[in-house]
Amino acid sequence: MPQFDFARVALPQIIWLFFSFGLLFLLMRAMLPKVAGVAERRASTIGGDLDAADKARLDAETRREAYEAGIAKTRTDAQGLIESAKADAAKANEAKMKAADEAAAAKIAAAEAELSKQRDAALVKLDAIAVDATQDVVERLTGTRPAMAAAAAAVAQAGS
Amino acid sequence: MSKTTTKKVYSDVAGPLEQFDIKPLYDINVAGYDLSLTNSSAWMIGILLFVWAFMFFGMRKAELVPGRWQSMVEGLHEFVVGMVDENIGPKGRSFVPFIFSLFIFILVANVAGLLPYSFTVTSHIAVTFAFAAFIFVMCILIGIFRHGFAWFGFFLPPGTPWYLMPLIIPIEIISFLSRPITLSVRLFANMTAGHILLKIFAGFVVSLGVAGGIWSVVGVLPLAMNTALYALELIVAIVQAYVFALLTTVYLNDSINLEH
């Protein structure tokens, strides 16, 4: 095996190995920081992007919350407005109803008063007619027309 | 006629060990020491250039959204960082360039060795042992530098009963001293054995094909075997590079964090 012919193969190989590997080591020591730097830069960029995305998400969240709170507030406001409007309308209605009721009651009272007055008047007239009729009946029966006062007295007597 | 051609072709087929031969390309002699540029050193320089190009062109733009090439570079780096973090912890970060260089050098050497006509740098025990010995010495120096004399307590697992000390301490020392040997032999033996096997089966394919007649048909069998072996060797090449780097982090962890 040529490998064990040390006297011939060992020295030139070891010398060149130390030369080439040493140079390789120096080259790698100079080049590897760049590789590590790129990885680091990538990590920090990705981290920064993630942070920005997170911040944007939080921002959107707070905005959404504010929006929802605004919506809810507006809704309650509207609800309150509706309630008060309803209450106002009910109150106004009630007042109107009351007024109308009063007006109607007044009218009814007036009509009733008128009615009773007219009835009274009609009753008075009825007495006159009854007196007249009594006079006529008596005249027919007796041939003499009684005096008006006598007839009226008779009617009043009969009516009571 | 046919017999002579058979003999000629067969003698042209490289022996299974020839692939490991060191061939000087340019003789360099410094003070009587042979420092020649060989096929092995040429491949090492090739690996160096390949890794540099891979890293340089992969990271030239260093974009935030990586392309395919950049993803490969970053994935490899992330893989090594993960390995170091897992085995050493935060104190191991300064060793990432070393472990990364080690892993990528051995990985490229192993995989490049599977190319036709290539030379496998890591199939030489001189190379793997140079790595292992360097790591071994580095671990000892880091251990002593970081923990002083306390580092030698590493050879005495905490909670050992006093009567077992004469047994445990030599075992610990031997297991520690055998680390560079197992580390280097594991990689060297895996690479060498796999390549010899590939060459032997390839030799069967050639000799059966040349034999003619029914033997040429039988030659399909070693060919199929070689295809399967090649896939296996590809896995072995990657796994052995990983194992080498992983064990290096484990050994470094023993020196840095000093726990059993």
PDB file of all heavy atoms in Angstrom, chain B residues 140-165:
ATOM      1  N   ILE B 140      -5.697  19.245  23.912  1.00  0.00           N
ATOM      2  CA  ILE B 140      -4.908  19.263  25.146  1.00  0.00           C
ATOM      3  C   ILE B 140      -4.543  20.698  25.509  1.00  0.00           C
ATOM      4  O   ILE B 140      -4.708  21.126  26.660  1.00  0.00           O
ATOM      5  CB  ILE B 140      -3.630  18.412  24.966  1.00  0.00           C
ATOM      6  CG1 ILE B 140      -4.013  16.940  24.815  1.00  0.00           C
ATOM      7  CG2 ILE B 140      -2.691  18.595  26.156  1.00  0.00           C
ATOM      8  CD1 ILE B 140      -2.843  16.042  24.513  1.00  0.00           C
ATOM      9  N   LEU B 141      -4.089  21.457  24.513  1.00  0.00           N
ATOM     10  CA  LEU B 141      -3.661  22.837  24.792  1.00  0.00           C
ATOM     11  C   LEU B 141      -4.843  23.676  25.273  1.00  0.00           C
ATOM     12  O   LEU B 141      -4.714  24.444  26.236  1.00  0.00           O
ATOM     13  CB  LEU B 141      -3.029  23.457  23.548  1.00  0.00           C
ATOM     14  CG  LEU B 141      -1.672  22.864  23.136  1.00  0.00           C
ATOM     15  CD1 LEU B 141      -1.131  23.572  21.912  1.00  0.00           C
ATOM     16  CD2 LEU B 141      -0.678  22.962  24.294  1.00  0.00           C
ATOM     17  N   ILE B 142      -5.981  23.526  24.607  1.00  0.00           N
ATOM     18  CA  ILE B 142      -7.157  24.310  25.021  1.00  0.00           C
ATOM     19  C   ILE B 142      -7.564  23.916  26.434  1.00  0.00           C
ATOM     20  O   ILE B 142      -7.881  24.771  27.273  1.00  0.00           O
ATOM     21  CB  ILE B 142      -8.317  24.097  24.038  1.00  0.00           C
ATOM     22  CG1 ILE B 142      -8.002  24.796  22.725  1.00  0.00           C
ATOM     23  CG2 ILE B 142      -9.620  24.631  24.611  1.00  0.00           C
ATOM     24  CD1 ILE B 142      -8.955  24.426  21.625  1.00  0.00           C
ATOM     25  N   GLY B 143      -7.549  22.603  26.728  1.00  0.00           N
ATOM     26  CA  GLY B 143      -7.922  22.131  28.058  1.00  0.00           C
ATOM     27  C   GLY B 143      -7.030  22.717  29.128  1.00  0.00           C
ATOM     28  O   GLY B 143      -7.502  23.236  30.146  1.00  0.00           O
ATOM     29  N   ILE B 144      -5.720  22.676  28.891  1.00  0.00           N
ATOM     30  CA  ILE B 144      -4.788  23.182  29.907  1.00  0.00           C
ATOM     31  C   ILE B 144      -4.871  24.704  29.985  1.00  0.00           C
ATOM     32  O   ILE B 144      -4.849  25.293  31.068  1.00  0.00           O
ATOM     33  CB  ILE B 144      -3.351  22.715  29.582  1.00  0.00           C
ATOM     34  CG1 ILE B 144      -3.273  21.200  29.760  1.00  0.00           C
ATOM     35  CG2 ILE B 144      -2.340  23.396  30.478  1.00  0.00           C
ATOM     36  CD1 ILE B 144      -1.977  20.593  29.320  1.00  0.00           C
ATOM     37  N   PHE B 145      -5.025  25.332  28.838  1.00  0.00           N
ATOM     38  CA  PHE B 145      -5.096  26.786  28.813  1.00  0.00           C
ATOM     39  C   PHE B 145      -6.340  27.284  29.544  1.00  0.00           C
ATOM     40  O   PHE B 145      -6.294  28.276  30.266  1.00  0.00           O
ATOM     41  CB  PHE B 145      -5.108  27.257  27.356  1.00  0.00           C
ATOM     42  CG  PHE B 145      -5.109  28.751  27.213  1.00  0.00           C
ATOM     43  CD1 PHE B 145      -3.962  29.494  27.475  1.00  0.00           C
ATOM     44  CD2 PHE B 145      -6.255  29.426  26.817  1.00  0.00           C
ATOM     45  CE1 PHE B 145      -3.960  30.862  27.341  1.00  0.00           C
ATOM     46  CE2 PHE B 145      -6.260  30.798  26.690  1.00  0.00           C
ATOM     47  CZ  PHE B 145      -5.105  31.511  26.954  1.00  0.00           C
ATOM     48  N   ARG B 146      -7.451  26.583  29.374  1.00  0.00           N
ATOM     49  CA  ARG B 146      -8.706  27.064  29.969  1.00  0.00           C
ATOM     50  C   ARG B 146      -8.872  26.653  31.423  1.00  0.00           C
ATOM     51  O   ARG B 146      -9.517  27.362  32.192  1.00  0.00           O
ATOM     52  CB  ARG B 146      -9.904  26.521  29.181  1.00  0.00           C
ATOM     53  CG  ARG B 146      -9.932  27.052  27.777  1.00  0.00           C
ATOM     54  CD  ARG B 146     -11.341  27.350  27.347  1.00  0.00           C
ATOM     55  NE  ARG B 146     -11.291  28.019  26.061  1.00  0.00           N
ATOM     56  CZ  ARG B 146     -12.360  28.452  25.419  1.00  0.00           C
ATOM     57  NH1 ARG B 146     -13.545  28.279  25.944  1.00  0.00           N
ATOM     58  NH2 ARG B 146     -12.237  29.055  24.266  1.00  0.00           N
ATOM     59  N   HIS B 147      -8.363  25.466  31.763  1.00  0.00           N
ATOM     60  CA  HIS B 147      -8.654  24.951  33.107  1.00  0.00           C
ATOM     61  C   HIS B 147      -7.407  24.725  33.944  1.00  0.00           C
ATOM     62  O   HIS B 147      -7.521  24.342  35.100  1.00  0.00           O
ATOM     63  CB  HIS B 147      -9.435  23.642  32.992  1.00  0.00           C
ATOM     64  CG  HIS B 147     -10.684  23.768  32.193  1.00  0.00           C
ATOM     65  ND1 HIS B 147     -11.783  24.451  32.644  1.00  0.00           N
ATOM     66  CD2 HIS B 147     -10.999  23.346  30.956  1.00  0.00           C
ATOM     67  CE1 HIS B 147     -12.729  24.423  31.717  1.00  0.00           C
ATOM     68  NE2 HIS B 147     -12.275  23.760  30.673  1.00  0.00           N
ATOM     69  N   GLY B 148      -6.214  24.927  33.354  1.00  0.00           N
ATOM     70  CA  GLY B 148      -4.997  24.722  34.121  1.00  0.00           C
ATOM     71  C   GLY B 148      -4.844  23.263  34.523  1.00  0.00           C
ATOM     72  O   GLY B 148      -5.265  22.356  33.790  1.00  0.00           O
ATOM     73  N   PHE B 149      -4.305  23.065  35.723  1.00  0.00           N
ATOM     74  CA  PHE B 149      -4.029  21.699  36.171  1.00  0.00           C
ATOM     75  C   PHE B 149      -5.327  20.905  36.345  1.00  0.00           C
ATOM     76  O   PHE B 149      -5.341  19.682  36.238  1.00  0.00           O
ATOM     77  CB  PHE B 149      -3.251  21.743  37.494  1.00  0.00           C
ATOM     78  CG  PHE B 149      -2.751  20.404  37.926  1.00  0.00           C
ATOM     79  CD1 PHE B 149      -1.679  19.791  37.267  1.00  0.00           C
ATOM     80  CD2 PHE B 149      -3.362  19.732  38.977  1.00  0.00           C
ATOM     81  CE1 PHE B 149      -1.224  18.548  37.662  1.00  0.00           C
ATOM     82  CE2 PHE B 149      -2.906  18.485  39.366  1.00  0.00           C
ATOM     83  CZ  PHE B 149      -1.834  17.894  38.710  1.00  0.00           C
ATOM     84  N   ALA B 150      -6.424  21.613  36.626  1.00  0.00           N
ATOM     85  CA  ALA B 150      -7.709  20.948  36.864  1.00  0.00           C
ATOM     86  C   ALA B 150      -8.137  20.100  35.672  1.00  0.00           C
ATOM     87  O   ALA B 150      -8.924  19.166  35.807  1.00  0.00           O
ATOM     88  CB  ALA B 150      -8.786  21.978  37.183  1.00  0.00           C
ATOM     89  N   TRP B 151      -7.605  20.449  34.511  1.00  0.00           N
ATOM     90  CA  TRP B 151      -8.022  19.713  33.315  1.00  0.00           C
ATOM     91  C   TRP B 151      -7.655  18.233  33.414  1.00  0.00           C
ATOM     92  O   TRP B 151      -8.336  17.386  32.865  1.00  0.00           O
ATOM     93  CB  TRP B 151      -7.373  20.317  32.066  1.00  0.00           C
ATOM     94  CG  TRP B 151      -7.770  19.591  30.847  1.00  0.00           C
ATOM     95  CD1 TRP B 151      -8.971  19.639  30.225  1.00  0.00           C
ATOM     96  CD2 TRP B 151      -6.980  18.663  30.113  1.00  0.00           C
ATOM     97  NE1 TRP B 151      -8.975  18.803  29.147  1.00  0.00           N
ATOM     98  CE2 TRP B 151      -7.754  18.192  29.055  1.00  0.00           C
ATOM     99  CE3 TRP B 151      -5.670  18.185  30.256  1.00  0.00           C
ATOM    100  CZ2 TRP B 151      -7.299  17.266  28.136  1.00  0.00           C
ATOM    101  CZ3 TRP B 151      -5.212  17.268  29.338  1.00  0.00           C
ATOM    102  CH2 TRP B 151      -6.011  16.801  28.299  1.00  0.00           C
ATOM    103  N   PHE B 152      -6.562  17.908  34.150  1.00  0.00           N
ATOM    104  CA  PHE B 152      -6.146  16.509  34.257  1.00  0.00           C
ATOM    105  C   PHE B 152      -7.148  15.707  35.066  1.00  0.00           C
ATOM    106  O   PHE B 152      -7.144  14.485  35.032  1.00  0.00           O
ATOM    107  CB  PHE B 152      -4.742  16.418  34.873  1.00  0.00           C
ATOM    108  CG  PHE B 152      -3.691  16.917  33.921  1.00  0.00           C
ATOM    109  CD1 PHE B 152      -3.184  18.203  34.029  1.00  0.00           C
ATOM    110  CD2 PHE B 152      -3.240  16.106  32.895  1.00  0.00           C
ATOM    111  CE1 PHE B 152      -2.236  18.664  33.139  1.00  0.00           C
ATOM    112  CE2 PHE B 152      -2.290  16.564  32.009  1.00  0.00           C
ATOM    113  CZ  PHE B 152      -1.787  17.847  32.122  1.00  0.00           C
ATOM    114  N   GLY B 153      -8.038  16.383  35.784  1.00  0.00           N
ATOM    115  CA  GLY B 153      -9.130  15.701  36.463  1.00  0.00           C
ATOM    116  C   GLY B 153     -10.065  15.017  35.486  1.00  0.00           C
ATOM    117  O   GLY B 153     -10.893  14.200  35.865  1.00  0.00           O
ATOM    118  N   PHE B 154      -9.904  15.372  34.229  1.00  0.00           N
ATOM    119  CA  PHE B 154     -10.684  14.737  33.166  1.00  0.00           C
ATOM    120  C   PHE B 154     -10.499  13.220  33.163  1.00  0.00           C
ATOM    121  O   PHE B 154     -11.397  12.478  32.807  1.00  0.00           O
ATOM    122  CB  PHE B 154     -10.241  15.333  31.830  1.00  0.00           C
ATOM    123  CG  PHE B 154     -10.829  14.652  30.641  1.00  0.00           C
ATOM    124  CD1 PHE B 154     -12.156  14.830  30.312  1.00  0.00           C
ATOM    125  CD2 PHE B 154     -10.051  13.817  29.851  1.00  0.00           C
ATOM    126  CE1 PHE B 154     -12.692  14.202  29.207  1.00  0.00           C
ATOM    127  CE2 PHE B 154     -10.589  13.180  28.759  1.00  0.00           C
ATOM    128  CZ  PHE B 154     -11.912  13.374  28.437  1.00  0.00           C
ATOM    129  N   PHE B 155      -9.299  12.788  33.589  1.00  0.00           N
ATOM    130  CA  PHE B 155      -9.014  11.349  33.550  1.00  0.00           C
ATOM    131  C   PHE B 155      -9.626  10.610  34.723  1.00  0.00           C
ATOM    132  O   PHE B 155      -9.507   9.396  34.810  1.00  0.00           O
ATOM    133  CB  PHE B 155      -7.497  11.119  33.517  1.00  0.00           C
ATOM    134  CG  PHE B 155      -6.876  11.679  32.272  1.00  0.00           C
ATOM    135  CD1 PHE B 155      -6.004  12.743  32.321  1.00  0.00           C
ATOM    136  CD2 PHE B 155      -7.200  11.139  31.047  1.00  0.00           C
ATOM    137  CE1 PHE B 155      -5.460  13.257  31.166  1.00  0.00           C
ATOM    138  CE2 PHE B 155      -6.655  11.650  29.886  1.00  0.00           C
ATOM    139  CZ  PHE B 155      -5.786  12.710  29.941  1.00  0.00           C
ATOM    140  N   LEU B 156     -10.243  11.359  35.634  1.00  0.00           N
ATOM    141  CA  LEU B 156     -10.883  10.710  36.781  1.00  0.00           C
ATOM    142  C   LEU B 156     -12.362  11.084  36.777  1.00  0.00           C
ATOM    143  O   LEU B 156     -12.732  12.169  37.206  1.00  0.00           O
ATOM    144  CB  LEU B 156     -10.226  11.182  38.079  1.00  0.00           C
ATOM    145  CG  LEU B 156     -10.767  10.510  39.342  1.00  0.00           C
ATOM    146  CD1 LEU B 156     -10.427   9.029  39.350  1.00  0.00           C
ATOM    147  CD2 LEU B 156     -10.213  11.191  40.577  1.00  0.00           C
ATOM    148  N   PRO B 157     -13.197  10.186  36.307  1.00  0.00           N
ATOM    149  CA  PRO B 157     -14.626  10.524  36.274  1.00  0.00           C
ATOM    150  C   PRO B 157     -15.129  10.782  37.682  1.00  0.00           C
ATOM    151  O   PRO B 157     -14.747  10.071  38.609  1.00  0.00           O
ATOM    152  CB  PRO B 157     -15.277   9.265  35.690  1.00  0.00           C
ATOM    153  CG  PRO B 157     -14.173   8.495  35.064  1.00  0.00           C
ATOM    154  CD  PRO B 157     -12.923   8.847  35.787  1.00  0.00           C
ATOM    155  N   PRO B 158     -15.946  11.802  37.867  1.00  0.00           N
ATOM    156  CA  PRO B 158     -16.446  12.095  39.213  1.00  0.00           C
ATOM    157  C   PRO B 158     -17.267  10.929  39.738  1.00  0.00           C
ATOM    158  O   PRO B 158     -17.988  10.265  38.997  1.00  0.00           O
ATOM    159  CB  PRO B 158     -17.306  13.353  39.010  1.00  0.00           C
ATOM    160  CG  PRO B 158     -17.550  13.430  37.550  1.00  0.00           C
ATOM    161  CD  PRO B 158     -16.446  12.734  36.865  1.00  0.00           C
ATOM    162  N   GLY B 159     -17.145  10.690  41.022  1.00  0.00           N
ATOM    163  CA  GLY B 159     -17.907   9.614  41.657  1.00  0.00           C
ATOM    164  C   GLY B 159     -17.238   8.261  41.561  1.00  0.00           C
ATOM    165  O   GLY B 159     -17.845   7.239  41.864  1.00  0.00           O
ATOM    166  N   THR B 160     -15.964   8.223  41.113  1.00  0.00           N
ATOM    167  CA  THR B 160     -15.272   6.932  41.048  1.00  0.00           C
ATOM    168  C   THR B 160     -14.860   6.497  42.462  1.00  0.00           C
ATOM    169  O   THR B 160     -14.254   7.282  43.182  1.00  0.00           O
ATOM    170  CB  THR B 160     -14.006   7.047  40.184  1.00  0.00           C
ATOM    171  OG1 THR B 160     -14.327   7.720  38.992  1.00  0.00           O
ATOM    172  CG2 THR B 160     -13.415   5.685  39.879  1.00  0.00           C
ATOM    173  N   PRO B 161     -15.187   5.287  42.861  1.00  0.00           N
ATOM    174  CA  PRO B 161     -14.711   4.809  44.176  1.00  0.00           C
ATOM    175  C   PRO B 161     -13.183   4.727  44.185  1.00  0.00           C
ATOM    176  O   PRO B 161     -12.576   4.416  43.150  1.00  0.00           O
ATOM    177  CB  PRO B 161     -15.334   3.414  44.286  1.00  0.00           C
ATOM    178  CG  PRO B 161     -16.359   3.339  43.208  1.00  0.00           C
ATOM    179  CD  PRO B 161     -15.971   4.293  42.143  1.00  0.00           C
ATOM    180  N   TRP B 162     -12.573   4.995  45.354  1.00  0.00           N
ATOM    181  CA  TRP B 162     -11.089   5.084  45.410  1.00  0.00           C
ATOM    182  C   TRP B 162     -10.430   3.794  44.961  1.00  0.00           C
ATOM    183  O   TRP B 162      -9.377   3.818  44.343  1.00  0.00           O
ATOM    184  CB  TRP B 162     -10.629   5.471  46.814  1.00  0.00           C
ATOM    185  CG  TRP B 162     -11.009   4.445  47.867  1.00  0.00           C
ATOM    186  CD1 TRP B 162     -12.116   4.426  48.615  1.00  0.00           C
ATOM    187  CD2 TRP B 162     -10.257   3.288  48.228  1.00  0.00           C
ATOM    188  NE1 TRP B 162     -12.145   3.338  49.423  1.00  0.00           N
ATOM    189  CE2 TRP B 162     -10.993   2.618  49.212  1.00  0.00           C
ATOM    190  CE3 TRP B 162      -9.023   2.745  47.824  1.00  0.00           C
ATOM    191  CZ2 TRP B 162     -10.565   1.430  49.793  1.00  0.00           C
ATOM    192  CZ3 TRP B 162      -8.590   1.557  48.407  1.00  0.00           C
ATOM    193  CH2 TRP B 162      -9.356   0.910  49.372  1.00  0.00           C
ATOM    194  N   TYR B 163     -11.084   2.641  45.239  1.00  0.00           N
ATOM    195  CA  TYR B 163     -10.417   1.370  44.914  1.00  0.00           C
ATOM    196  C   TYR B 163     -10.445   1.072  43.410  1.00  0.00           C
ATOM    197  O   TYR B 163      -9.750   0.197  42.946  1.00  0.00           O
ATOM    198  CB  TYR B 163     -11.045   0.214  45.697  1.00  0.00           C
ATOM    199  CG  TYR B 163     -12.553   0.150  45.592  1.00  0.00           C
ATOM    200  CD1 TYR B 163     -13.170  -0.497  44.548  1.00  0.00           C
ATOM    201  CD2 TYR B 163     -13.352   0.758  46.565  1.00  0.00           C
ATOM    202  CE1 TYR B 163     -14.541  -0.534  44.453  1.00  0.00           C
ATOM    203  CE2 TYR B 163     -14.727   0.726  46.472  1.00  0.00           C
ATOM    204  CZ  TYR B 163     -15.320   0.077  45.421  1.00  0.00           C
ATOM    205  OH  TYR B 163     -16.682   0.048  45.307  1.00  0.00           O
ATOM    206  N   LEU B 164     -11.276   1.823  42.668  1.00  0.00           N
ATOM    207  CA  LEU B 164     -11.290   1.620  41.216  1.00  0.00           C
ATOM    208  C   LEU B 164     -10.350   2.572  40.486  1.00  0.00           C
ATOM    209  O   LEU B 164     -10.121   2.419  39.289  1.00  0.00           O
ATOM    210  CB  LEU B 164     -12.713   1.796  40.674  1.00  0.00           C
ATOM    211  CG  LEU B 164     -13.648   0.598  40.839  1.00  0.00           C
ATOM    212  CD1 LEU B 164     -14.999   0.918  40.268  1.00  0.00           C
ATOM    213  CD2 LEU B 164     -13.070  -0.627  40.151  1.00  0.00           C
ATOM    214  N   MET B 165      -9.811   3.539  41.241  1.00  0.00           N
ATOM    215  CA  MET B 165      -8.946   4.532  40.594  1.00  0.00           C
ATOM    216  C   MET B 165      -7.786   3.920  39.812  1.00  0.00           C
ATOM    217  O   MET B 165      -7.525   4.326  38.681  1.00  0.00           O
ATOM    218  CB  MET B 165      -8.428   5.510  41.632  1.00  0.00           C
ATOM    219  CG  MET B 165      -9.452   6.572  41.985  1.00  0.00           C
ATOM    220  SD  MET B 165      -8.757   7.749  43.116  1.00  0.00           S
ATOM    221  CE  MET B 165     -10.202   8.663  43.585  1.00  0.00           C
TER     222      MET B 165
END
